[in-house]
Amino acid sequence: MKIEGIIWLEDIIEKLWLKHEVKTFEAEELFENKPHFRFVEKGHYEGENVYAAMGQTDSGRYLTTFFVYKQNNEALIISSRTMTSAERKLYGKH
C-alpha cells in the first residue's frame, strides 16, 4: 500500500491529543517508517476502505493509526493511539 498524502480533519486532531495524547507528527512518522497495514472494514464509499497502520514513531513509540485509504492514495486519519499489548505481539511477528 502506498500512501502519498495524509488528510487531517480539525476535530480528529483535537480528539487524538485529548483522548490518546497522540500528536499529528507522530502519526505521520508512523507512515514514513514502513508500518504494517491490515484491513479493518469496508468503507462507506466504493473503493475507500478502513485500514490500520501499525508501527513505530521516530522516538520508538508504538502506534496503531486507523485511516480511510482514499482512491487518490491518501490516508484520511480517523484515529491513532498507543498499541495494545495484543497488537504489539502481532506487530512483532511481522
Side-chain angles (χ1 to χ4, degrees):
M1 179 176 295
K2 185 177 182 181
I3 305 295
E4 295 180 357
I6 296 178
I7 303 167
W8 289 104
L9 303 176
E10 286 300 319
D11 56 334
I12 298 296
I13 293 169
E14 185 176 344
K15 178 191 109 171
L16 294 184
W17 177 246
L18 294 175
K19 188 173 181 182
H20 303 294
E21 295 186 0
V22 174
K23 295 188 177 188
T24 56
F25 77 87
E26 291 178 297
E28 290 175 1
E29 287 176 355
L30 171 75
F31 284 99
E32 295 169 5
N33 293 338
K34 298 180 183 175
H36 169 71
F37 296 105
R38 68 176 172 84
F39 174 83
V40 175
E41 66 183 21
K42 197 168 175 112
H44 295 293
Y45 298 101
E46 179 88 22
E48 294 188 351
N49 298 317
V50 178
Y51 291 87
M54 299 167 60
Q56 287 184 274
T57 65
D58 290 347
S59 67
R61 183 176 182 186
Y62 288 89
L63 292 179
T64 299
T65 299
F66 297 91
F67 65 97
V68 175
Y69 188 57
K70 305 295 274 180
Q71 292 182 8
N72 61 357
N73 298 333
E74 290 184 316
L76 171 61
I77 306 300
I78 54 179
S79 189
S80 187
R81 59 172 169 70
T82 301
M83 275 188 207
T84 65
S85 59
E87 289 170 331
R88 288 269 311 257
K89 287 179 187 174
L90 179 65
Y91 176 71
K93 292 179 182 179
H94 289 88

